[in-house]
Amino acid sequence: MKGLTLPMAEPRPTLSPRPASPCRWAPVAAWGAFAGLAAFYVLYVTPRRGVLFSDEAWYLYNAVRALHHGEIASYLPQAPAHLVNAFFMFFLGDGYLPQRYAFILCNLAAGAALLVGTGGASGAPSQAAASGASGSAGAALPLGLGCVLAAGLSSVVNYHNGPGLFLALGLGLYFLGDRPDRSDWPGQAFALGAAAGFFLAVSAMTNLTVAPGLVLICLGLLWRAWRRRRPVLAACPLACGLSLVLLLGAYALAIGLDRLFHVPKGHGFLYGRLGEIVLLAVAWPALWAVVAGVAGLFSRPGRRADPLGRWLWLLTAAAALFLAKSILVAGGGRAEFPLDLLPTLNPVILLPHFAYGLLCLGLVRGALAGGTADPAWRRGAFAALALVLYWAQQTFYSEIYVVFSMVAVSGLMMALGLWLLSRPVFRGGAAPAPPARGMVWGLFLAALVFVAGSLLHLETGGWTGETRLSGPKTVLSNPRLRGILESPERAAMLEAVERAYVEAGCRDRILLSFNNASLLYYLLDHPAPPGLSYIPQPIYFESEIRGILEGERPWCVLYSASYRRPGTAEREEAFMGHLASRAAQRRVLGDPASPVPYADFVLFVGPAGPDRAGVPALP
């Protein structure tokens, strides 16, 4: 019909199959991997780590003395972390293994609180969820928890890991109370803030050297509450100040101010290491800033603004190569080309540097990609700075080597770095771009390298080189060691030490143990001489030990030549000759030629009478 125009049908769009985003399966795969790792770590690794004669046993010995004998102070009066162990012992008993499980729960709680609190809801993250980035962020949580679970030197709460652990727990609870969905519930925000303040105070009580840094953190939180006009946010720093005053005041009254300010050997103001601390703290951020600057010079306009995303793969590949070299050498193998070109780095040095480098990569990437407008990124940056501040203070006051002093917080740094790298890329006012497929794969690979490196480090001897996870294991008979599996040689040695201790009547004598063998005080429930519960080498406290050997009170000495330092071996041998000259009898309890650490104990009983000429020093 003339004048009638029929509407033309619009062409129907052709639907093409869309590739599945890795963000859809990433959280499920990550949580499955974490569940498997947690079961393996709790059921297999934790009991098969055996007993550690030095640091861990010393913490537990101090906890037992505090709980059952009221001896609150220790050799390190500025680091009463053993009171946390005593608190756990009140509910779980004096056993070694329950302390390990308590540490695992605390560590995972701290990591979960930090990651969940840091990634709280805000406008920008909701946009990220709409763009599909929530899946990668959801995968970062279980991946990070896996790193927290496997990392670290020791397996109980102590003054090395305690500050970072409770700092992360406190900051996580604070961030959870600061989420926008709690703005209409000030009661919840106040309760979370008060709990956060208490745990921040506990972080300082585990090692009082971090107290100045905690003051700065609390001042920052007060300023944040004032700037946001939310008085309820001030509950955290105020509760922290009140809790710290009460806890520290009670502790100072219990031990006295003279004891509180006593500086033990190996600690103090170590100004000579300030340069190393500053260099390590700024090296990684400076490196990534330079890399980003160079990449920006060669990038084409219009390309995605993520100049550092691909460097996650390079960093992880480098860490994997160094790790392969160190594990190969530790296992007695020989590195071939190209691994032989790399220096051999102990995993206790490599893994903390890898974790800190990855954390700094996430921070610099977020800053350059527009993430500074994201409140979640700012919370992550605040938490990262707080962890670095704590690490710097602990390292400044202790003789622990700077190159691996970061190991105590490496798991938390790794977890926070993975979470930062899972954040979307912001581009001005446009919708944030989700992480690319390669970034999600890179997060899995980085976590795998870190966890595998931590477990392989334990298999090759761990921090002290005492025990391995594999090999024959047997149960231990001492009630405090119930549930822990040890090598047959060390299990037999511990039983021989207990028998000789009873037969020689050492219960009524002064007991000394040398070369980091504080486990024996905890095992035998015997008080150590004042100030001598931790003796790295006999010559370290030579004058104090000579006073006991040459005194009138009877004594017993349990000596192992394990970990005798080559540089002081001659002095130690001369000292042991003097000790033997004062002894009335000597019992060889183990094999002096055994390659197994602490399977060579010798018992000396003294003093010798005036008509006795002593005993031979060596078997």
Side-chain angles (χ1 to χ4, degrees):
M1 185 179 297
K2 187 177 180 180
L4 181 63
T5 304
L6 297 177
M8 298 182 64
E10 296 182 1
R12 182 172 296 178
T14 302
L15 298 178
S16 59
R18 185 178 180 182
S21 170
C23 298
R24 298 181 181 180
W25 55 258
V28 177
W31 278 112
F34 171 72
L37 173 65
F40 174 74
Y41 194 88
V42 171
L43 301 178
Y44 182 84
V45 174
T46 302
R48 294 180 70 90
R49 292 188 68 174
V51 295
L52 301 183
F53 273 76
S54 55
D55 291 22
E56 285 197 357
W58 180 63
Y59 309 140
L60 300 184
Y61 163 77
N62 287 328
V64 168
R65 301 305 298 180
L67 179 63
H68 298 302
H69 305 280
E71 298 176 8
I72 304 298
S74 69
Y75 172 66
L76 290 176
Q78 297 84 19
H82 61 280
L83 298 181
V84 177
N85 305 120
F87 174 79
F88 293 143
M89 284 183 177
F90 182 80
F91 299 98
L92 304 176
D94 300 347
Y96 197 150
L97 191 59
Q99 290 290 321
R100 286 182 170 172
Y101 290 138
F103 170 69
I104 290 174
L105 290 176
C106 289
N107 218 15
L108 291 179
L114 180 64
L115 295 181
V116 175
T118 303
S122 64
S126 64
Q127 295 177 357
S131 65
S134 58
S136 61
L141 175 59
L143 293 178
L145 291 180
C147 294
V148 170
L149 177 66
L153 292 178
S154 57
S155 61
V156 301
V157 176
N158 57 65
Y159 67 93
H160 289 302
N161 57 39
L165 187 159
F166 290 108
L167 171 68
L169 183 57
L171 289 180
L173 292 176
Y174 170 80
F175 291 144
L176 283 172
D178 187 28
R179 289 172 58 155
D181 56 354
R182 302 191 192 278
S183 58
D184 297 330
W185 298 89
Q188 291 185 8
F190 177 83
L192 287 170
F198 172 76
F199 285 115
L200 289 179
V202 173
S203 74
M205 285 301 299
T206 57
N207 192 333
L208 293 171
T209 61
V210 303
L214 180 60
V215 172
L216 294 178
I217 292 172
C218 288
L219 290 176
L221 296 180
L222 283 173
W223 176 82
R224 193 168 184 265
W226 174 83
R227 182 176 60 86
R228 299 188 57 190
R229 302 295 190 270
R230 290 192 65 192
V232 70
L233 296 181
C236 174
L238 294 179
C240 175
L242 178 61
S243 300
L244 185 59
V245 168
L246 294 176
L247 293 173
L248 182 57
Y251 179 66
L253 287 175
I255 69 172
L257 292 179
D258 292 341
R259 181 64 180 162
L260 179 62
F261 290 100
H262 170 73
V263 180
K265 290 183 179 181
H267 299 77
F269 297 94
L270 306 178
Y271 296 102
R273 57 177 46 200
L274 275 176
E276 294 180 75
I277 294 173
V278 173
L279 179 62
L280 179 55
V282 304
W284 279 110
L287 173 63
W288 295 131
V290 171
V291 169
V294 174
L297 293 177
F298 295 95
S299 62
R300 290 180 295 177
R303 294 196 65 180
R304 181 173 172 177
D306 189 7
L308 291 179
R310 70 191 66 179
W311 284 87
L312 170 62
W313 284 88
L314 295 177
L315 176 64
T316 304
L321 290 175
F322 278 104
L323 182 63
K325 170 73 179 296
S326 64
I327 297 300
L328 186 63
V329 173
R334 180 179 179 182
E336 302 293 341
F337 182 84
L339 292 181
D340 60 333
L341 302 177
L342 300 176
T344 302
L345 295 179
N346 192 302
V348 81
I349 298 175
L350 171 63
L351 295 176
H353 283 263
F354 175 43
Y356 185 54
L358 187 135
L359 173 61
C360 294
L361 176 63
L363 288 172
V364 176
R365 170 182 175 267
L368 296 178
T372 53
D374 179 14
W377 181 91
R378 293 198 295 266
R379 288 192 290 266
F382 185 89
L385 291 175
L387 287 173
V388 172
L389 181 61
Y390 265 38
W391 158 78
Q393 292 177 106
Q394 291 180 255
T395 306
F396 175 68
Y397 290 103
S398 175
E399 285 188 346
I400 186 172
Y401 294 112
V402 177
V403 289
F404 62 77
S405 61
M406 203 175 278
V407 70
V409 291
S410 60
L412 293 169
M413 287 184 169
M414 191 73 188
L416 195 56
L418 292 172
W419 179 85
L420 287 167
L421 288 170
S422 73
R423 302 295 299 164
V425 177
F426 292 82
R427 294 177 293 190
R437 182 186 298 267
M439 177 64 73
V440 179
W441 282 107
L443 296 179
F444 274 82
L445 182 60
L448 176 62
V449 169
F450 186 86
V451 171
S454 299
L455 295 178
L456 289 173
H457 181 49
L458 292 179
E459 170 59 26
T460 56
W463 163 248
T464 61
E466 292 183 49
T467 62
R468 294 175 179 265
L469 300 179
S470 62
K473 297 285 184 177
T474 185
V475 295
L476 298 174
S477 59
N478 190 284
R480 288 183 173 175
L481 306 181
R482 184 175 293 114
I484 294 181
L485 303 177
E486 257 294 357
S487 65
E489 297 87 353
R490 284 161 60 97
M493 185 75 269
L494 291 174
E495 292 182 358
V497 166
E498 290 188 72
R499 287 195 304 269
Y501 172 84
V502 174
E503 293 171 359
C506 294
R507 170 62 62 185
D508 300 322
R509 297 170 178 264
I510 299 175
L511 180 65
L512 291 168
S513 62
F514 300 156
N515 289 345
N516 295 333
S518 300
L519 174 72
L520 300 182
Y521 297 122
Y522 168 70
L523 179 75
L524 302 170
D525 197 18
H526 193 113
L532 297 177
S533 61
Y534 188 88
I535 304 177
Q537 297 172 277
I539 60 174
Y540 206 70
F541 296 95
E542 184 170 353
S543 60
E544 294 89 340
I545 296 174
R546 282 180 178 269
I548 294 175
L549 299 180
E550 297 171 3
E552 296 181 355
R553 289 190 58 188
W555 46 262
C556 289
V557 173
L558 284 162
Y559 173 75
S560 168
S562 299
Y563 302 108
R564 177 190 287 182
R565 292 178 174 89
T568 57
E570 292 185 3
R571 286 186 58 193
E572 182 172 326
E573 188 171 333
F575 179 83
M576 291 307 300
H578 172 72
L579 184 151
S581 68
R582 303 286 302 176
Q585 59 176 297
R586 184 199 68 182
R587 298 189 183 189
V588 179
L589 307 180
D591 180 7
S594 173
V596 179
Y598 295 112
D600 60 341
F601 274 100
V602 178
L603 173 64
F604 295 91
V605 181
D611 56 340
R612 298 286 299 273
V615 298
L618 299 177

